[in-house]
Amino acid sequence: MNPIKKIISFTLSLILIVSFISFNVGALFDKENATEKFYSYETKLLCISHRGDTALYPENSLEGIKSALKKGADFVSVNIEKTADGVFYLCEDESLGNICNAPYDSLSQMNSDEVDKYRLFDIFGKETKYKLVSLESLLDRTDSEDGIILDVKTADKDAVYGILKENKSLDRIILRVVESGSKLTEWAESKPEKVYVIGKYTGNIIFSTVSYINALTSAKMPAVQFESKNYFNVSFGEFFTKRYLKSENVRAIAATYSPDLCGQREDNADGWNELINKNYSVIETNNIDSFISYRNETERLSDDLRELYDGASLMERDRYSQVSLTNLDKATALCEEVISDDVVSLAELQKAYSKLDFALKEMKISTGEVDTRGALNITAGKVIAAVLVGAALLAGQIYVYKMRRSKKENK
C-alpha cells in the first residue's frame, strides 16, 4: 500500500477509535444512578409507578417496568416472592391465581422450572404473552439509572441482599421493608456493603413517628412511606408535616394508588396537591400518564412564575401608586415563598402566578396625588355638599316637628 494511503487510513482509524471512546465515556458519566436521585439533597418531586405501566402491561412485568420508566417515572415499585426452591420472582404472593394462569394460590407452591409455563393476565383478566420475571433477570435487563424499588418481606431481606451483592446492584436498588425504624437501621448498618432502604410506618403517635424518621436519618437513609386509612392521621397533619417533613433531608412517600394508604385521598391532581402541600416529595401512583403530565405542568409553570417574578423585580417602583405597590408586594411575597420551596404543588404555583399576574395588570401610574383608592376620598366640594345635605335634613326635621306641635295645640 502507498505510504500516504497508510498514513491516511491510520489517521481515520484513530479518529474513529477516539470518537467512539469519547462518546461512550461521556455517556457513562452522564448517567445518574437511581439511588443518587432518590437521596439527593437537591430535593425534587419524584414519581413511583406502582408495579409498572399497568394500563398497557400486566403488573410486575418487565415490559411494564420499562414502559413506565420510558414515560418518565423515576422509579417502579415491584413485589417479589420466592418459589419452593428459593428463586425470587416479581409478583404478589396472595394474588398469584389472579395475575396468571397458574393453578396455585402462592408462588411458594411451585418450583422455578415450572414458572415459564404460565402467562400473566392483563387488568381485564385476559391471558397475555408476558411471563413472570425473576429478580436476576430484572437486574440483568435494567441499568443503573433505572429506578427499582423492591417490596421485600422482612424474612427475605437477607437473601435479597445476597442476590443484589452478587449482581453488584446494591447501589442501584432500594428495598422497602415493613419493620421498625431501629431494627431496619441496625440491619442495614450491619451489612459490609451499603444497602438502601425505605421504611414503612403505619402508626398514629407523633413521638413514634418522629422516632422512626430519626432512626433512618442516623443511617443517612431518611425515607419513610407513611400509610393510614385515617384522613386525620398524624402523618398527614400540618403540625407534623410542616415541622418534620419540610427538611430537605427527609423523603416522605405517599402511596396514592390506594385510598387506604393515603387517608382516603384520590390518586389525581386533588390528592397530589394536598400531599405535596404537606411536604410529601415522592408520590406512588397507578396513574402514571396523568402524574407525569401534572409534574410537567408544575415545571413549566414554575419557570413561568420565576420569569414573571424577575420582571416584577425590575419595575421602576417610583412610577406607581402606593396602593399598586402594596398589592404587588403582597403578591411577590407569596411568590418568593413558593419559589423558595424545592417541591411545590401545581395548585400553589397556580395561586402564586395568578396573584402576581393580576397585581401587575392592575398597576396604576402615580399622579402625584395621595392615592385613596379603597378609602374615603374627601374634597372641599364633598364637604360643602355634605353640610348642605345635613342642613336640609335638619330643617326638614324642624319643620315636621313644628307642624305636629301646631296640630296638637289646635286640638
Side-chain angles (χ1 to χ4, degrees):
M1 181 183 289
N2 189 301
I4 296 177
K5 288 185 177 180
K6 284 185 177 181
I7 293 172
I8 293 174
S9 177
F10 175 77
T11 303
L12 289 174
S13 298
L14 184 62
I15 290 172
L16 287 173
I17 291 171
V18 171
S19 299
F20 178 78
I21 293 173
S22 299
F23 173 80
N24 282 279
V25 169
L28 178 64
F29 284 102
D30 285 340
K31 289 185 177 182
E32 182 181 19
N33 188 288
T35 51
E36 291 174 356
K37 182 192 299 184
F38 192 87
Y39 292 101
S40 171
Y41 285 103
E42 185 183 355
T43 308
K44 294 181 179 179
L45 179 61
L46 298 181
C47 170
I48 301 176
S49 175
H50 181 59
R51 299 179 186 171
D53 186 5
T54 53
L56 300 177
Y57 300 95
E59 63 180 34
N60 289 317
S61 65
L62 181 64
E63 293 77 10
I65 293 169
K66 287 183 171 293
S67 177
L69 293 169
K70 186 176 181 180
K71 284 183 175 181
D74 300 291
F75 295 86
V76 178
S77 66
V78 292
N79 303 82
I80 57 172
E81 297 289 343
K82 62 182 177 181
T83 60
D85 54 346
V87 179
F88 285 95
Y89 280 84
L90 276 56
C91 81
E92 190 172 5
D93 187 57
E94 61 266 23
S95 65
L96 183 62
N98 295 325
I99 65 170
C100 71
N101 59 346
Y104 301 99
D105 295 324
S106 169
L107 194 70
S108 62
Q109 295 176 267
M110 71 170 87
N111 288 319
S112 55
D113 58 0
E114 297 180 76
V115 174
D116 280 345
K117 299 177 184 177
Y118 308 112
R119 299 293 180 270
L120 293 167
F121 295 150
D122 61 19
I123 57 174
F124 303 107
K126 184 179 178 181
E127 185 179 322
T128 68
K129 64 180 180 180
Y130 305 109
K131 302 178 182 180
L132 280 82
V133 185
S134 69
L135 176 56
E136 284 86 350
S137 179
L138 173 69
L139 299 176
D140 288 341
R141 299 172 68 180
T142 53
D143 299 319
S144 62
E145 72 272 21
D146 294 333
I148 305 295
I149 295 174
L150 299 180
D151 283 302
V152 181
K153 289 181 177 179
T154 303
D156 293 331
K157 63 182 187 294
D158 281 313
V160 173
Y161 171 86
I163 294 171
L164 296 181
K165 182 180 178 182
E166 184 179 347
N167 283 269
K168 296 180 173 56
S169 298
L170 283 169
D171 63 340
R172 69 182 184 94
I173 302 294
I174 302 176
L175 306 184
R176 186 162 55 185
V177 186
V178 181
E179 194 166 28
S180 72
S182 57
K183 288 184 178 180
L184 190 56
T185 299
E186 183 181 350
W187 174 81
E189 291 183 327
S190 71
K191 298 303 174 186
E193 294 186 29
K194 187 175 181 62
V195 56
Y196 294 92
V197 296
I198 295 173
K200 277 189 179 183
Y201 183 77
T202 58
N204 194 27
I205 301 174
I206 184 67
F207 300 108
S208 299
T209 308
V210 174
S211 176
Y212 201 106
I213 289 178
N214 290 339
L216 293 176
T217 301
S218 67
K220 298 181 180 180
M221 293 179 292
V224 185
Q225 180 164 313
F226 297 102
E227 298 180 346
S228 177
K229 295 181 181 180
N230 179 11
Y231 182 91
F232 300 102
N233 184 279
V234 67
S235 302
F236 304 125
E238 289 192 0
F239 172 79
F240 170 75
T241 60
K242 287 186 176 181
R243 184 168 181 177
Y244 295 102
L245 299 187
K246 195 170 180 65
S247 168
E248 63 181 8
N249 294 326
V250 176
R251 276 290 191 189
I253 306 161
T256 60
Y257 64 85
S258 170
D260 288 344
L261 302 179
C262 60
Q264 306 305 311
R265 290 165 178 83
E266 298 292 332
D267 192 13
N268 57 28
D270 291 336
W272 304 331
N273 280 331
E274 183 182 353
L275 289 163
I276 294 168
N277 287 343
K278 293 179 181 293
N279 297 300
Y280 279 82
S281 61
V282 185
I283 301 296
E284 185 167 1
T285 177
N286 271 337
N287 298 330
I288 176 68
D289 295 291
S290 296
F291 188 82
I292 295 302
S293 296
Y294 171 95
R295 187 171 62 177
N296 289 342
E297 182 62 13
T298 64
E299 292 173 356
R300 183 198 65 78
L301 192 54
S302 180
D303 291 339
D304 290 349
L305 180 60
R306 288 179 182 277
E307 184 177 345
L308 194 66
Y309 173 79
D310 290 341
S313 302
L314 298 174
M315 294 181 66
E316 298 179 23
R317 293 177 63 88
D318 56 355
R319 298 182 58 217
Y320 298 97
S321 68
Q322 187 57 49
V323 170
S324 294
L325 292 173
T326 299
N327 292 334
L328 179 63
D329 289 342
K330 290 179 180 178
T332 53
L334 175 61
C335 183
E336 288 169 355
E337 183 180 344
V338 170
I339 289 175
S340 66
D341 287 337
D342 293 318
V343 178
V344 187
S345 72
L346 182 58
E348 284 297 298
L349 284 166
Q350 290 170 334
K351 178 182 177 182
Y353 187 92
S354 297
K355 189 168 183 176
L356 182 56
D357 184 53
F358 180 79
L360 289 170
K361 289 178 178 177
E362 291 297 307
M363 295 294 288
K364 303 295 182 184
I365 300 296
S366 175
T367 61
E369 299 178 357
V370 176
D371 192 339
T372 55
R373 285 179 295 152
L376 291 175
N377 190 5
I378 301 174
T379 64
K382 289 182 179 180
V383 172
I384 294 172
V387 171
L388 291 175
V389 170
L393 290 172
L394 180 59
Q397 288 179 341
I398 293 173
Y399 174 77
V400 171
Y401 172 76
K402 287 184 175 182
M403 289 294 294
R404 288 179 178 176
R405 185 172 182 180
S406 177
K407 288 182 180 180
K408 287 182 179 180
E409 290 176 351
N410 290 335
K411 289 181 179 180

